[in-house]
Amino acid sequence: YLPWTFLFSWPFYRAFEAMLGWYDQRFVYLLLFILTLAMAPALASRPEEKLMLVAVLGLNPIMGSDVIFGQNDSFVLFWVVLSLWFLKRGNWGRWASAASLALACASKPTAWFFAPFYFLYLWRKEEGSRHVFGLIGVFALVFAAVVAPFFFWNPDAMVDDVWRWAAGTAKISYQIRGWGVANFILALGLVESRLSYFPFWLFELAFALPVAVALGVRLYRYPSIKNALWAYGLTLFVFLYFSRFLNENYLGFILAILALGYFTKTTAKESS
């Protein structure tokens, strides 16, 4: 994982250690999950849609399992939802929105897929305004402030942990498993073991890139945050389906993103 999860959690760790003598990371995840549900109604329009969005996010059984077992997808989701919430606050909110998205991206690579669609939406909404370059600058600055110190501390360790471990090229890599094409690779005996290397990146490139381009073109033609979220969720799903592993917690996260895309309101100038 990238550093923001641990940097943000450190004050909570110190506080609970001082008060209770022990700490559980789920303290942070539960708090942020509650705040996510509190912000969600502001993203929808009609009262019934507000309730439905909260229901889909809060009663999502996989996301609930995430919180119960201490997986960090709810942590990443909070920063994505916070970014969307700030985006609704007007001009000043856009700067905070870009910073919040940077924190999501500084937490886990699953958030990276939203960034290009997010800024494409802003570019089209602002009709190529220089203002967007300032927002990209804020995003880059916040992301670098969190990640760069750790990267320069030990570049090889960070690349190994964030990239090689997931790609199957590390000395000890994550196993081939999950609910995606990886099962067919195992069933057909195309690898010696679950820990063997297989070039899943070829499938990811062949299938996810066309989907991202097609959805990006649609977003360019019909710019709305709704379409940006749909593009993010669907591209991430295709990428993970053809990756080394598609765990159930990713499906819960993708469902949450698609629900946000479905219920998030658009302005009068936006087409969906």
Side-chain angles (χ1 to χ4, degrees):
Y1 297 131
L2 291 154
W4 181 239
T5 302
F6 312 108
L7 291 176
F8 180 83
S9 303
W10 182 80
F12 295 91
Y13 163 74
R14 297 292 294 177
F16 279 100
E17 280 285 328
M19 291 187 298
L20 303 178
W22 59 279
Y23 174 72
D24 192 313
Q25 181 65 13
R26 289 174 293 185
F27 289 146
V28 172
Y29 294 165
L30 180 59
L31 171 63
L32 296 190
F33 191 54
I34 292 171
L35 292 176
T36 298
L37 298 180
M39 290 186 292
L43 304 179
S45 297
R46 298 193 298 271
E48 62 271 21
E49 292 181 339
K50 295 176 183 289
L51 291 174
M52 286 189 286
L53 178 57
V54 172
V56 173
L57 295 178
L59 301 178
N60 178 341
I62 306 178
M63 190 62 70
S65 178
D66 260 25
V67 178
I68 291 170
F69 290 100
Q71 295 170 298
N72 72 344
D73 298 285
S74 60
F75 183 88
V76 181
L77 180 66
F78 167 79
W79 298 103
V80 172
V81 171
L82 183 63
S83 177
L84 299 174
W85 187 85
F86 276 129
L87 202 57
K88 301 291 184 180
R89 306 277 79 82
N91 290 332
W92 69 268
R94 296 180 186 181
W95 303 98
S97 175
S100 299
L101 180 58
L103 294 176
C105 291
S107 305
K108 197 171 185 178
T110 48
W112 295 357
F113 291 79
F114 186 34
F117 299 116
Y118 172 88
F119 286 112
L120 177 59
Y121 158 70
L122 291 179
W123 176 267
R124 289 289 291 128
K125 185 177 180 181
E126 299 293 332
E127 297 181 350
S129 170
R130 293 182 181 179
H131 185 63
V132 177
F133 289 108
L135 296 174
I136 294 174
V138 169
F139 172 89
L141 184 63
V142 172
F143 181 83
V146 174
V147 175
F150 292 88
F151 177 80
F152 289 113
W153 181 9
N154 193 330
D156 186 68
M158 176 167 277
V159 172
D160 192 66
D161 184 64
V162 175
W163 180 258
R164 298 193 197 110
W165 179 80
T169 56
K171 184 177 181 180
I172 300 177
S173 299
Y174 192 75
Q175 61 181 310
I176 300 173
R177 58 155 298 179
W179 295 8
V181 75
N183 276 323
F184 296 101
I185 302 301
L186 293 172
L188 294 173
L190 300 179
V191 290
E192 292 183 2
S193 75
R194 290 180 177 270
L195 298 178
S196 299
Y197 172 74
F198 186 84
F200 287 98
W201 66 270
L202 292 173
F203 293 104
E204 293 166 342
L205 191 64
F207 290 94
L209 183 59
V211 170
V213 171
L215 294 174
V217 170
R218 186 175 187 274
L219 175 61
Y220 183 85
R221 295 179 60 190
Y222 307 105
S224 69
I225 195 62
K226 180 185 294 286
N227 285 339
L229 286 164
W230 276 103
Y232 170 37
L234 294 173
T235 299
L236 182 61
F237 171 73
V238 175
F239 179 87
L240 291 174
Y241 183 82
F242 289 100
S243 70
R244 186 175 177 87
F245 50 92
L246 172 57
N247 296 329
E248 58 276 9
N249 59 295
Y250 292 131
L251 296 176
F253 180 77
I254 291 169
L255 174 61
I257 296 299
L258 295 178
L260 289 169
Y262 184 82
F263 289 109
T264 294
K265 60 185 176 184
T266 58
T267 66
K269 295 182 179 180
E270 293 178 346
S271 302
S272 58

